[in-house]
Amino acid sequence: MTTMRLDIVSAEKEIFSGNIEAVIVPGEMGELGIYPGHAQLLTTIRPGNIRAILSDQSEEIFFINGGLLEVQPSITTVLANTVIRARDIDEKAALEAKARAEQKLAKGVTEFDFAAATAELAAAIAQIRAIQQLRKRSK
């Protein structure tokens, strides 16, 4: 099968670079499936999980806290605000962050605080889902 190059980078470092068969990215309007030969594209991405399908059909899963996706004819680049490999996520910290965000939302907060708490909650849930996906793939 044809492959394409995928680069996933954040402000701190490059976290992944390699040839893949496909990548699934959380776009603003829903999931985007990018395959070799995809039309050129530049879009924002929301917090969630990126799934890179490798040539051996295994998957690498990453948590991303938003960023940009650029698709070119032979290379796809994810420019992430924050990116963590699913296997490196601290599950306990993610669960604690989710609980804190839910407490903030339950207290009744200002509009600004509500937006921040909602973003924190979305990020924590996405991290927890990344851990769950990784566990499912490991079985």
Side-chain angles (χ1 to χ4, degrees):
M1 177 169 222
T2 307
T3 62
M4 66 182 171
R5 182 182 164 113
L6 173 66
D7 291 331
I8 302 175
V9 298
S10 71
E12 297 101 31
K13 64 182 175 179
E14 179 179 85
I15 192 159
F16 179 88
S17 182
N19 290 325
I20 62 164
E21 290 190 2
V23 62
I24 294 85
V25 180
E28 285 296 327
M29 302 299 284
E31 283 195 333
L32 298 165
I34 309 297
Y35 294 84
H38 193 284
Q40 292 183 357
L41 173 69
L42 180 63
T43 188
T44 55
I45 48 181
R46 63 178 167 74
N49 299 317
I50 295 174
R51 295 183 357 238
I53 314 299
L54 307 178
S55 57
D56 65 359
Q57 297 302 308
S58 66
E59 289 187 10
E60 282 270 355
I61 301 170
F62 306 88
F63 162 75
I64 186 169
N65 195 12
L68 293 172
L69 171 70
E70 178 185 25
V71 179
Q72 293 293 323
S74 61
I75 186 167
T76 297
T77 305
V78 174
L79 304 169
N81 298 337
T82 302
V83 62
I84 306 168
R85 287 181 186 272
R87 66 178 179 248
D88 296 336
I89 295 173
D90 181 342
E91 184 175 18
K92 181 180 175 190
L95 290 169
E96 289 171 357
K98 178 180 179 276
R100 280 192 308 274
E102 289 172 337
Q103 287 174 350
K104 288 179 187 178
L105 289 170
K107 286 182 183 177
V109 292
T110 67
E111 189 174 320
F112 176 77
D113 291 339
F114 178 81
T118 302
E120 287 175 28
L121 181 59
I125 289 171
Q127 287 185 22
I128 293 165
R129 284 188 183 143
I131 293 167
Q132 292 169 342
Q133 284 180 336
L134 184 63
R135 285 187 182 145
K136 277 201 306 193
R137 306 279 187 265
S138 298
K139 290 182 180 179

